[in-house]
Amino acid sequence: MPDSAYHIPALLPEAIQLLDIKPDGTYIDATFGGGGHSSAIIEALGPEGHLYSFDRDIDAYANRIDDPRFTFVHSNFRYVENFMRYHGAGKIDGILADLGVSFHHFDSSERGFSFRADAPLDMRMNRKADRTAAMILAEADEETIKDTLRAYADLKRPGNVAKAIVKARAQHPVQTTFELADAVRPALDPRQEKKEMAQVFQALRIATNDEMGDLRRFLEATARILRPGGRLAVLTYHSIEDRMVKNFMKTGNVEGREEKDFFGKTSSPWRPVTRKPVEPSQQEVEANPRSRSAKLRVAELI
């Protein structure tokens, strides 16, 4: 059964409404997590509808929905096209992806996603993946660490943080969350320490799981598996992933390269469903503070 403690989905009513669910349609929840979005999709489906829900973390399997219209796929959503072909699903009517990290990952201190508790610096979404965050920090040179922080965190001085990590690991391996926090603390702005610490952990988590590579592959696949008129709804939580989704829905590619037609109009296979991204109300933010940075973008395949 879905577990609300695992993850409280942001913008749930808005996402379901904008997906424009057809009772007999075929849908994908690309990020199953606690099953909140999936449960709402199932409720909107009729007897002939079907939902495929993806999650790379086997922990999410415990939240699976006992319904013949539901299929749990234990896989990274970057492989969505392959699995839809395997299941013989045909063209898809709608796809939803909630890119937020679940409460479960932050609250499971042993997974190493948070600096609030001391734990091995793991950060793998898929526990069978080869490389942990600690391994990445041990193997990467200072320039690579700096580039990772610059790309995936809004830090003012990523070079100083990278230098602090290299200096610390010269004394002893940085293998736990507290060791990483202690290593970077001298390079952070004391007035913004908590915020900047979270940005460092975010950047390392993104790199460990290749989240931007996964998102690129996933987005590119959606245009091939959706039927014309099918909808793609994506919830983002930080500027890096939101920029990719915004570019993709505007131009058809994550870089935002605009291709013009004969009349000088940007050519894209997508039509935006909303003029601006949908953001949570103050009431929702008060009830679920982690939804504060959520943005919902929805587009329809032309």
Side-chain angles (χ1 to χ4, degrees):
M1 290 293 292
D3 182 1
S4 60
Y6 193 106
H7 184 68
I8 300 174
L11 294 164
L12 177 59
E14 295 86 346
I16 300 305
Q17 178 186 358
L18 290 169
L19 267 180
D20 191 26
I21 296 172
K22 295 172 174 55
D24 61 348
T26 302
Y27 292 85
I28 293 171
D29 180 354
T31 48
F32 179 66
H37 284 120
S38 285
S39 293
I41 293 172
I42 286 286
E43 287 179 10
L45 290 176
E48 303 303 317
H50 202 88
L51 172 66
Y52 297 89
S53 292
F54 283 69
D55 207 298
R56 74 177 96 182
D57 190 344
I58 195 59
D59 286 2
Y61 181 71
N63 304 322
R64 66 193 182 281
I65 301 168
D66 184 15
D67 192 297
R69 299 168 297 169
F70 175 79
T71 299
F72 180 85
V73 183
H74 178 215
S75 175
N76 189 318
F77 67 5
R78 74 187 294 161
Y79 303 118
V80 63
E81 185 174 15
N82 294 347
F83 277 93
M84 290 302 93
R85 188 182 303 119
Y86 171 79
H87 285 286
K91 289 295 184 180
I92 306 301
D93 293 282
I95 302 173
L96 173 65
D98 181 348
L99 303 182
V101 180
S102 72
F103 294 3
H104 172 73
H105 291 118
F106 285 119
D107 294 340
S108 300
S109 57
E110 74 278 3
R111 303 287 294 270
F113 285 89
S114 172
F115 52 87
R116 295 178 304 184
D118 197 17
L121 198 57
D122 191 318
M123 293 194 181
R124 291 172 299 172
M125 296 286 192
N126 179 356
R127 298 198 209 198
K128 293 184 178 181
D130 294 332
R131 301 174 73 215
T132 66
M135 292 169 66
I136 289 175
L137 286 186
E139 298 165 4
D141 59 29
E142 183 176 326
E143 193 65 25
T144 300
I145 296 173
K146 176 183 174 182
D147 289 345
T148 297
L149 294 170
R150 181 188 291 117
Y152 303 142
D154 296 322
L155 291 169
K156 295 178 181 177
R157 297 176 295 276
N160 290 358
V161 177
K163 191 179 298 293
I165 291 171
V166 171
K167 180 181 178 181
R169 77 181 185 191
Q171 305 301 317
H172 59 81
V174 179
Q175 296 182 326
T176 72
T177 54
F178 278 10
E179 287 172 351
L180 175 58
D182 289 342
V184 303
R185 190 171 285 112
L188 304 181
D189 182 346
R191 298 164 298 180
Q192 299 285 326
E193 181 181 299
K194 187 175 180 180
K195 177 182 177 182
E196 292 190 354
M197 189 75 73
Q199 291 170 334
V200 170
F201 272 68
Q202 170 186 285
L204 185 55
R205 187 204 78 222
I206 290 172
T208 300
N209 296 287
D210 189 23
E211 291 179 30
M212 296 304 104
D214 291 343
L215 180 56
R216 173 193 289 268
R217 286 276 300 273
F218 164 72
L219 289 172
E220 291 170 350
T222 61
R224 296 189 293 268
I225 64 177
L226 277 171
R227 65 166 181 80
R231 291 190 174 185
L232 171 64
V234 184
L235 278 153
T236 66
Y237 294 82
H238 58 77
S239 60
I240 304 141
E241 62 192 13
D242 186 60
R243 189 179 309 117
M244 290 179 67
V245 173
K246 179 181 178 181
N247 286 342
F248 183 74
M249 290 183 173
K250 180 180 179 182
T251 67
N253 60 79
V254 297
E255 293 83 10
R257 296 188 311 271
E258 294 193 17
E259 298 180 6
K260 306 288 186 179
D261 61 18
F262 179 79
F263 301 100
K265 183 180 179 181
T266 299
S267 177
S268 171
W270 300 97
R271 180 187 68 80
V273 173
T274 59
R275 189 172 62 86
K276 294 182 178 180
V278 180
E279 299 185 19
S281 65
Q282 185 59 37
Q283 182 179 7
E284 177 171 356
V285 171
E286 290 173 359
N288 178 15
R290 290 182 181 177
S291 71
R292 185 182 305 277
S293 60
K295 291 184 179 180
L296 171 64
R297 295 185 184 273
V298 184
E300 188 172 277
L301 188 67
I302 299 173

